[in-house]
Amino acid sequence: DAGVTQSPTHLIKTRGQQVTLRCSPKSGHDTVSWYQQALGQGPQFIFQYYEEEERQRGNFPDRFSGHQFPNYSSELNVNALLLGDSALYLCASSSGQRVNTEAFFGQGTRLTVV
Amino acid sequence: DAKTTQPNSMESNEEEPVHLPCNHSTISGTDYIHWYRQLPSQGPEYVIHGLTSNVNNRMASLAIAEDRKSSTLILHRATLRDAAVYYCILLSGSARQLTFGSGTQLTVLP
């Protein structure tokens, strides 16, 4: 079992550009959540996808959008990148929408905006 | 979600037990207590969770106070690989997201 896989591992973008990050959930999991982790802080919830729909959203602007595919994999898109979007982006997968069981995280994508 | 309070940092010697405290005085009756840890350059990793009774698994033990206003994560024999940020998180049964605080940075000394 490969666990949660994210790609790419590192990415450098220029301010104003758009970026797409990808996540494949752990086998058997149907729910994907995305988190942003700034340096020295705990992860912050961006949104959750279940059954190909956004089910819950954290306090992030509309520049952040996502998608879930029929095979449960997911993408996070960020438009009009700002310097402040530089962070580690984490994907977590779980079975069902509720997280009151074990959530599995990927190793993250380190995004640097210059 | 109810708030948790953890010390910013703790130190432990290798092969000794470590007790990581968490205060959650506003916990509701249906909130579960979860612990995750994040090793350097990795995503968070589930450690353990419980509701009322003490819990044990291969990684750690969770001791929950009788009034549930505090809990303690116990690592029975710390190793250098246990050096990480440990997060205590309260989750209701209907929760769809993990709300991370600042956590406790555990340093394990050889």
Side-chain angles (χ1 to χ4, degrees):
Chain A
D1 183 2
V4 179
T5 58
Q6 293 187 242
S7 63
T9 55
H10 295 82
L11 200 54
I12 300 175
K13 288 287 190 177
T14 303
R15 190 172 45 183
Q17 286 188 315
Q18 179 263 343
V19 68
T20 297
L21 310 181
R22 295 177 175 82
C23 172
S24 292
K26 181 178 170 62
S27 178
H29 284 182
D30 55 9
T31 302
V32 172
S33 300
W34 287 91
Y35 292 79
Q36 179 195 65
Q37 186 173 25
L39 204 59
Q41 298 183 19
Q44 300 297 307
F45 175 76
I46 302 175
F47 42 53
Q48 181 196 76
Y49 276 84
Y50 173 72
E51 293 186 337
E52 303 180 48
E53 290 190 14
E54 183 183 295
R55 298 293 177 170
Q56 188 165 22
R57 188 179 185 90
N59 189 25
F60 280 81
D62 292 344
R63 298 187 298 109
F64 290 77
S65 64
H67 189 77
Q68 185 179 35
F69 300 93
N71 67 353
Y72 307 124
S73 67
S74 178
E75 290 182 347
L76 165 65
N77 301 293
V78 187
N79 294 323
L81 284 167
L82 304 174
L83 296 179
D85 295 330
S86 295
L88 180 68
Y89 288 86
L90 295 159
C91 170
S93 77
S94 57
S95 181
Q97 300 177 69
R98 313 306 181 196
V99 294
N100 219 344
T101 54
E102 184 175 352
F104 289 80
F105 283 80
Q107 293 207 342
T109 294
R110 173 71 64 188
L111 172 65
T112 302
V113 182
V114 297
Chain B
D1 291 322
K3 183 178 172 58
T4 63
T5 304
Q6 299 178 253
N8 289 331
S9 62
M10 291 184 64
E11 278 188 359
S12 173
N13 294 319
E14 195 176 10
E15 298 188 2
E16 291 187 355
V18 182
H19 291 233
L20 297 163
C22 181
N23 288 320
H24 30 77
S25 58
T26 60
I27 190 171
S28 76
T30 56
D31 284 343
Y32 284 77
I33 303 160
H34 286 242
W35 284 82
Y36 280 77
R37 72 179 185 180
Q38 188 170 19
L39 280 64
S41 302
Q42 294 191 26
E45 173 188 32
Y46 168 84
V47 178
I48 200 167
H49 80 278
L51 182 62
T52 56
S53 304
N54 294 344
V55 184
N56 300 294
N57 66 20
R58 64 175 180 80
M59 290 182 67
S61 295
L62 176 60
I64 301 172
E66 194 168 335
D67 63 5
R68 301 208 328 125
K69 294 185 177 182
S70 65
S71 60
T72 303
L73 179 70
I74 302 166
L75 307 179
H76 295 287
R77 289 181 72 239
T79 70
L80 297 178
R81 292 175 56 186
D82 290 322
V85 178
Y86 286 78
Y87 297 98
C88 171
I89 301 170
L90 300 183
L91 288 178
S92 68
S94 61
R96 292 180 176 176
Q97 61 176 284
L98 295 168
T99 301
F100 291 84
S102 300
T104 296
Q105 174 69 63
L106 175 65
T107 300
V108 180
L109 305 174

